[in-house]
Each structure stands twice: as C-alpha cells, then as structure tokens.
Amino acid sequence: MSCMWVSVNDCSQSHLYHLAQMIMEDEELQIVLAYGLPHTDGSDRNVPAKRAERLLSDLGMPSHLKGFAYLKTAFELCMEDPEEMDGITKRLYPDIAKEHKTSPEKVEHAIRHAIEAAWRRGDERKLRKIFGYGNTEGSRPTNLEFISRLTKHLRNETGNYFS
C-alpha cells in the first residue's frame, strides 16, 4: 500500500484529475488531503522556495528561463536579509551570481528578460493585485521593484514582515 500527502492549497483542477486517475489505477493507493503543511520539525526550508516558484508561475513567468531560477534565489536571499535589496547591483546580483556560478551582469539581464516575459504573458488581475498596475499600461516594473514587491508579498504570505 502506498500513501501520498497532498496539500489542498496547492491543488488545481488538473492535479485533482491526475489524483483521480492514480486512484483508479492503484486501488491500494491512499491519498491524504490536508490544508497547510504536514507536521514537521521545522527543518523544511524548501517551503519558501516552493511558494516563490508558484508565485512566479502564477504571474506567467516561464520556468525554463534562467531568470526564473535567479529570482527564486533572490527571494531566498532577500527573505533571509532584507538589506540585500539596498545594493542590488553591488550586493544582490553578485550573491546570486556566486551561487549560480555566473556573472552579475548575466544575472541582471536574465532577471530583466524573465520579468519582461511575465509582464507580456501574465494575468492582468494578478499583476494589478501585486503591483497596482498591469501589462495594459505598457511599462513593466524594474528589477528592484519586481523583487521587492514579490519579496514583500511572500513575507506577508508566510507571516514574516519587514522590520
């Protein structure tokens, strides 16, 4: 018998369809549906990264872009230390570049490209909810504005706030 834990918060209609298919194929499969996270000892540090990944995808950013991975790293760094955003070109980009073994210039360019892609294809309502304006106005947020707004959004979602 196999058992699978599934967060209702993370389920979409297609996920539920696939879960139903899995149950039909394996009668021994048990699926536990729950709200929130399963009880852990607090060592699951991957949760903020998953939330960031989901948020970027919800905004319409393609996950295959390098900027997507760089932005996930940026959110992790900024969640740990909000002062990372004080020096985006002198501190944040070099820290991301070091972790991904590339140059700060390539990090900046990839993030800008990913933001442009999300801004072109993103859902107008979701963009307006976070940024106060959407892709119909024409101008996209700067890298710093994008990172700071989404970091703030993730902090509010997790219960951590700027000091």
Side-chain angles (χ1 to χ4, degrees), residues 3-132:
C3 185
M4 177 187 298
W5 179 89
V6 178
S7 169
V8 176
N9 297 337
D10 295 334
C11 276
S12 67
Q13 223 171 5
S14 66
H15 289 121
L16 294 174
Y17 173 78
H18 291 295
L19 288 172
Q21 293 295 332
M22 291 169 64
I23 291 171
M24 289 172 34
E25 291 172 8
D26 183 4
E27 293 177 1
E28 297 291 314
L29 177 65
Q30 288 187 349
I31 297 178
V32 178
L33 294 173
Y35 285 96
L37 299 171
H39 177 71
T40 63
D41 59 1
S43 62
D44 189 3
R45 307 180 91 210
N46 218 9
V47 173
K50 292 284 186 195
R51 285 188 179 137
E53 195 172 295
R54 186 175 60 237
L55 180 59
L56 291 172
S57 294
D58 287 349
L59 289 176
M61 186 174 292
S63 61
H64 69 277
L65 297 176
K66 288 181 182 179
F68 186 94
Y70 297 161
L71 281 165
K72 280 180 25 182
T73 303
F75 298 141
E76 290 172 22
L77 293 170
C78 292
M79 295 275 286
E80 288 174 17
D81 182 10
E83 292 180 7
E84 282 280 348
M85 286 183 279
D86 290 345
I88 192 166
T89 56
K90 301 286 186 211
R91 186 172 173 185
L92 184 59
Y93 291 157
D95 289 349
I96 296 169
K98 188 186 313 179
E99 188 161 324
H100 291 273
K101 297 176 180 57
T102 188
S103 71
E105 293 79 18
K106 288 182 181 178
V107 168
E108 185 275 332
H109 179 76
I111 288 175
R112 185 168 18 95
H113 175 70
I115 292 170
E116 286 172 3
W119 209 252
R120 279 193 313 270
R121 6 174 335 185
D123 179 13
E124 180 76 20
R125 284 183 303 126
K126 290 178 184 174
L127 294 171
R128 280 190 182 283
K129 180 181 175 186
I130 294 175
F131 296 97

